[in-house]
Each structure stands twice: as C-alpha cells, then as structure tokens.
Amino acid sequence: MKTVMVKTENCVGCRHCELACSLEHSSLDNTYELFQQKPPLSARIDVRTGIDLLNFPLRCQHCDPAPCLEICPSGAISRDRPTETVQVNDDDCISCGMCAMVCPYSAITFPVYREKMPGTEKVKASAYKCDDCLERRQEGDIPACTEACRTGALEFGEIDEMVSADRDELAVLLTAEASGKRGERRPKNMEKYRELKLKMAGLGPFPASRKEE
Amino acid sequence: MKEDGEISGLSEDGLARRALEDAEKAGMETAWDRLQAQQPQCGFGETGVCCNRCAMGPCQADPFEEGPERGVCGADADLIVARNMLADIAAGAAAHSDHGREVAEIFQKAAENGQESGGYGITDENKLEKVAELFDVDGEDASREELAGELARRILTEFGTHRSGLALIDRAPAETREIWSELGITPDSIGGDLVEAMHRTHMGVGADPVNMLLHGLKVALGDGWGGSMIATELGDIMFGTPEINQSSMNLGVIDENMVNIVVHGHNSVLSEMIVQAAENDRLNSLAEEKGAEGIKVVGLCCTGNEILMRRGIPLAGNMLNQELVLATGAVEAAVIDYQCIFPSLVESASCYHTEIITTSHKSKIPGAVHLEFDPETAESTAREIVKRAVKRFPERNSGRVNIPGEPKSVTAGFSVQSITEALGGSLTPLIEAITAGDIKGAAGIVGCNNPKIKQDKGHIELAKNLLKEDILLVETGCAAVASGKEGMLQPEASELAGEGLRPVLESLNMPPVLHMGACVDCSRILKLAAAMARELEVGIQQLPLAGAAPEWYAQKAVAIGSYFVASGVYTVLGVPPKIFGSSEVVNLLSSGLEEAVGAKFAVEPEPEAAAELIVDHIESQREELGI
C-alpha cells in the first residue's frame, strides 16, 4: 500500500506543502499569480499546531474502507483502484456534507467559491479534499506536498518499506542507548531547539502538555 | 471569543486582563489574536536557516540535515544563521543609533539657535562640560552655546563614515578595551560599521560565520557605547539628568475626568514639549469648556520611560499594553514617534474615538493624522496636538469608558548620578556591600514583551527569584515597566529581598528594582558596570554581574544582548534566538565567546531556571574575585 507518512517531529510548520498543493491544483503555474487569484485556492493539506508547539499536516489518508465513500448517498465518492485513492466527482456531489461529518481526519471541506451552477446564480460547493495528486500518481510521480517537504515530515512510498526504514533507525537508537552511547534522532542543536520550544509552550498562550499553573 | 481561562493565561498584569475583555467586546484585534492566527510559525525562520536575501532564493538549509544542506549560492546553515544574525544586530543598532543621531541633531540646533531653538535648551550644564571633556572639546573660553555647538559637531562625525573611533568607548575599563582591541572589534564609526555590516550580509562577501559574528559584536558595541549612550547623554543635557522621583504606573493612570494624551514610542524629544503644552493655561481652559477637568499626558513604552525618568510623568504600560490602553475608551489622542508601534494601531483605535497622531516621516501609518516633528516648530506642533486632543474630548462615549483599576505607585529616576547621590556621593558603599556579601551581585533585566510568553511573567518571576538571592536589580524598558506594575518599584517591595540585601535597601529607602530608563538607557547600565569595574580595578567581565532579556522580541534586543556580552556581561535570553539551525553559531554564542570576551549567552525560557543560571554565574564570579 502506497501512502504519505507523516513525521510530526520533523514538521517545522513552513507550509511549503500547502503552497505546493494549491499550485498543483491551480491552472496557474507560478506562485506570484496564485497569490493574486481571488478568491484564493485553498490547499487540500492543512498544517495545524497542536500541543507543545508541535505541528501536524492534516490531509485525506485515503482510508480503505473509506467512511466518506461508504456514506455518500449520491455515489460522488469513488475509489480509483490503480492508485488506491479516494476521489470525488464534483458533478455527482449533492453537497450534503455527510462525508465531512464522518471523516476521521476532518479532511473534507466545502468551499463555496468554486463554480457557478449552470443557469443560476447559485455557487455550488462540492466536497473538496486531497486527491493524492491523481494525475501525478498516474504518471508515477509522488504527490506535490511530499515533493515540497524539505525536512522529511511528509514521505511518500510503500508503507511497509517506510516502516522498515523506521525500524532500522529505531534499532540503532535503542542499541546505542543500551551500549551506553547517546542515541540521537536529530542533530544536537535541533534537540536543544525542541527542548526550548517545549518550555516556551508552557509559558505562552498555546496548549501545552504541562503548564506551571 | 476568548474564554475566561484563556485571557488569564495571556498576562500577569491584572488591569491588562480586564482591558483585554473590553477589547474583545469592542471587537478589537490584539497581538495575541494575531499570534494565534500565525500558527504554525515557520521553523526555518525560527531556527534562522531561511535566507531571503537574493533572487536566487528564498533558500532553506534543512536543519535536520536530511534535505538540502546549502542555499543556491552555496551558503550552509551556519553561514545563513550568522548572516541573519548580523543583519538583526545591524537593524537593532541602527534603530538605537538613528534615534541617537536625531537627538544629536536637535542638540546641535538647540546650541546654534540658543533661546530661539523651538524650546530646546541646556538643562544640565555640569553634564555638558563632562561630556565635552570626554569628546576632547575644549570649552575654556567658549560660551555655553559655543561649547554645545562644538560638541554637537564632534558627536555627529561619529555617525558618519570617518573611522576615527568613538569617544565614549574610553568609559570602558582598560581591561575590557584591551579585549576588544585584540579581537579587532573596537568600533570605529557608528555609521561606517553599520554600512559594512549590511555589505557583509550580501551574497559573495562574508562566508565565515565567526568572522561575520565578530563584526556583529563590533556593531553592537557601537550601539551600546555609541548611538545609545549618545541618545542618553544628550537627552540628559537637554532635559535634565534623571533624579529619583515618585510617580505611578499601569493602565489605571488614565483619568476618566481628564483629556488623556498617550505618548508612545522611543524618542521623547516631542513628548517633552507635549508635557509642557499640556500645562498651558489657555489649553486647560479649553479643556474645561469641553467638559474635562484638565489635560493629562501619560507615557507608554520607552518614550514613556524617558519622561517618567526625567519628569515623573505617569506611565500606562509596556509594549503589549499599547492596544489595551485604547480599550479604556478614554484616550483622546495617542501620539507616536517610532519603534515598537504596532502598524495596526490605527485599526485598533477605530473601535473608539481615539486619534492616532504620527510625528516622524520615518514612521507613518495609513489612516493616522500626521504632524511632522521639527525641532524649530516643536512647541507649536505640541500645542496643536494637545488642542486636537482637547477638541476630541466631547466625542468620547462615556458609556464605553472602562478604566480597569487603580495605578501602582513607583519610585523611578535612577541614573548613575542619582544612584551615586543616594549612596552619599560615591559608589563605594555599594561596592562594600558587594564585597561583604550583603549584596551578592547585580543583574540587569531588560528587553521587551513578547506574546509568546505570558506578559510580564518572565520579568517578574526572574526578578523575584533573584531578589531572594540578594541580587540587586537594575532594569530598563518593558522589564522595568513590568516591575512597576507589579509594585516592585517601591521601597516597600524590599521585603522581597533576601536577608543580606533587604537591610541595605531599607537603610537607603530604595526599591529593590532600580528603574534606569528606556531601552537606549541600557547604556546607563554599561556606565554603572564600568564605574563598578574601575572601583574594583578589574574588567567588566570579572564583575559579579549578569544580564537577562526574558521576554525579548526586537532586533534592538539582539543588539543590546550582543553589546552586553561583548562588554563582558553574561546574558540569559528567555525567548530562543533564531540560531538553533546552526550548531556552529550555537556553540560560539553559548561557549566560544567566553574565551574571546569573557562572557557568553545562555537561553532559558523558564524564569526559575534562568535565575539559577544567574545565581551560579554570580557565585562563580565572586569566587574568582576572591570575595
């Protein structure tokens, strides 16, 4: 199974993935024009800050079975078998919102600005979510968000292969500790940075795992 | 809408919390809302590895060392971080020094035009002579105005690009100056060193991170012992050297029955005139005609600190209070000069009748009324400003006036001169108390507010933890205001001090925290440190002394921290600086500098842990001095 793996501890919150997503799904080919576009084209991946100032890039995980697909009454949501991804057909979507309600990752929204209903002034809002960059996938490329990530917080590949690589890393880390050497997942300066961020989370207005008061 | 619990986590200042509730009701957006909306903030920027200087970029070096290690030009994380830090120091030093230069230009006009100089003159003649001597200006046969004019011309050359050195450097002890000279970081020109700094940050110039940062220290020293110190000294000569005074502080200084004018920013030259204009009889009768009891000028931020120091004018608060003071609904005009003024302030004021008046061509805000400050017309501009505020009074909606509490009384005005006078004419009693161990040492707590840390918490908790350990505190800027709002700038607060320090304070009737002024007045802390070092016949780096900036946000604070450390003062930062993407820069600042200048930086957000670092440092300094 191919998927995007998220390593939250590597996410620095730069939101390059969001920008790459908007650009990929726009007819424009540069960021300058993209920023001029009104209304703006929102990204289908959303980096949010959780506790201790740690970030998590939220996107559709293309579940199987997918709750959204199961519940969709109009058959607008389907699975693309070759890529094993969950796709929305805008024309069939009746904008009932059921998919958004059942999505375990809150990955589906209904932006109202997308297209005018033919013959009326009404603007149709259909289900809007990550399509895993279907065209890119069909050409054997990885999704735009993963390509844009500089820090390895988003990685695309066969899940078992990625887990296996993680196991290798973990084994080194654990044996390093057992042999009395200090195992390091990150460079020392970045370990210090993380430690300070944790303290800052405890002193500021953000949710933290520990607060002094 | 914020819930009760949320607001209580934003500020230690109880009046600020109440005002925040009112701001919320009025629909006013505050810095805390904007911080929330900015999450997540980019980690590349936060760790200093983002370079947006040229059009081959923007580039980021991956701080996790998994992605790209170099920008397009070939700069690695160490260089990008050092380049960004040098640029930050330069921006901060430029802010202080441009402020200092403006004071010097006004001083020159005051000297040249004598009584016709728009109300500016010489108040502290004694200081004029002392400073003239330091600048080697001979005034034996000269009139007071001639002496001042010659001094002004001499001072202004230091802002140019002649590399003739800075006169006030000679105030530093010889031991400290030797270190600078060996490292090649003795500043030679305020302007020249700054221009060189920006040159070095250009692609294809500086490529050695250590070499870049050494220049950063040089630029910073040119701020502390140059631009900032000039601003302080000339301000004292023109408006008077601060003397110990009584005043009040916090949002409660706004008076419901008066026309309230808030003066906000950093350069108090116009505010001095506004204070005088507010005493004008005709304007006060006009205020009465409009239904007010009179006119009240209150300060905010460092302009406020300066007029508190020199004139005892009440102070409404520090940086994060600037929006909240408007939420009292009782401010007729907020007059701003420059630095630390939120660009959104006009928007915030639009929730009320308050008029925002900008006064410097350097610092305009769309939607504000602009009345350009010119030294020659300052008196009439000040009167016009006060008149506008008075005329605004009937626009006030009394139903929306909400002054959140009573002001705290403060003792302020601690210049090196007034401290010396309070000690009976010399610093010897202070040195003796330190040598005897009643006072273990001193710490300068300085710097800003930053909404990433609960407002004032960093300042107050660090201060309380140090006082317990018999460490005397000298403070400036937002830190001093935090202490004032907490009641720590009054002699009664000496009960917070330990068994050694407390009796010393009580015998002198002094508060445990000495308010030494605005952030440019960190130069007063340097001067005090230098005087102590001379008395003990050692370098500053050997003193039982430390600096701290628990809630810093500004580039100016990067410059101040750098000149503290370069001058030999161990400095603890609360908010992590943007350097953690580079192990080389982290190592240099947190240990390498110790060998070079005898002091280093530490980063510790938690106030209690920061206090421990400072206490340990002071103990070890005492041990080395053998006291």
Side-chain angles (χ1 to χ4, degrees), chain B residues 176 179-180 185 217-218 220-221 561-569 597 599:
Chain B
T176 305
I179 293 173
W180 297 342
I185 58 169
L217 297 183
K218 182 175 178 177
L221 287 171
S562 302
Y563 71 63
F564 267 27
V565 170
S567 301
V569 183
V597 296

Side-chain angles (χ1 to χ4, degrees), chain B residues 180-217:
Chain B
W180 297 342
S181 153
E182 263 169 46
L183 281 174
I185 58 169
T186 309
D188 1 75
S189 151
I190 298 168
D193 292 342
L194 277 169
V195 171
E196 185 183 325
M198 294 319 288
H199 179 193
R200 283 172 182 243
T201 64
H202 197 279
M203 201 299 264
V205 186
D208 175 355
V210 176
N211 190 41
M212 294 282 271
L213 291 175
L214 281 176
H215 188 70
L217 297 183

Side-chain angles (χ1 to χ4, degrees), chain A residues 122-188:
Chain A
K122 200 183 158 207
V123 178
K124 173 169 167 154
S126 44
Y128 188 68
K129 71 167 205 62
C130 163
D131 62 356
D132 217 34
C133 291
L134 188 61
E135 283 174 32
R136 293 173 67 112
R137 291 284 317 275
Q138 283 164 343
E139 284 162 22
D141 291 335
I142 63 171
C145 57
T146 8
E147 190 180 81
C149 184
R150 304 275 178 88
T151 61
L154 294 171
E155 235 180 292
F156 181 80
E158 278 294 342
I159 183 114
D160 283 1
E161 285 173 20
M162 293 189 288
V163 168
S164 173
D166 264 8
R167 283 179 181 169
D168 284 340
E169 203 181 300
L170 197 62
V172 169
L173 210 66
L174 294 171
T175 50
E177 259 162 43
S179 71
K181 288 177 195 141
R182 196 173 169 272
E184 266 170 31
R185 224 180 240 276
R186 287 181 286 270
K188 218 187 260 172

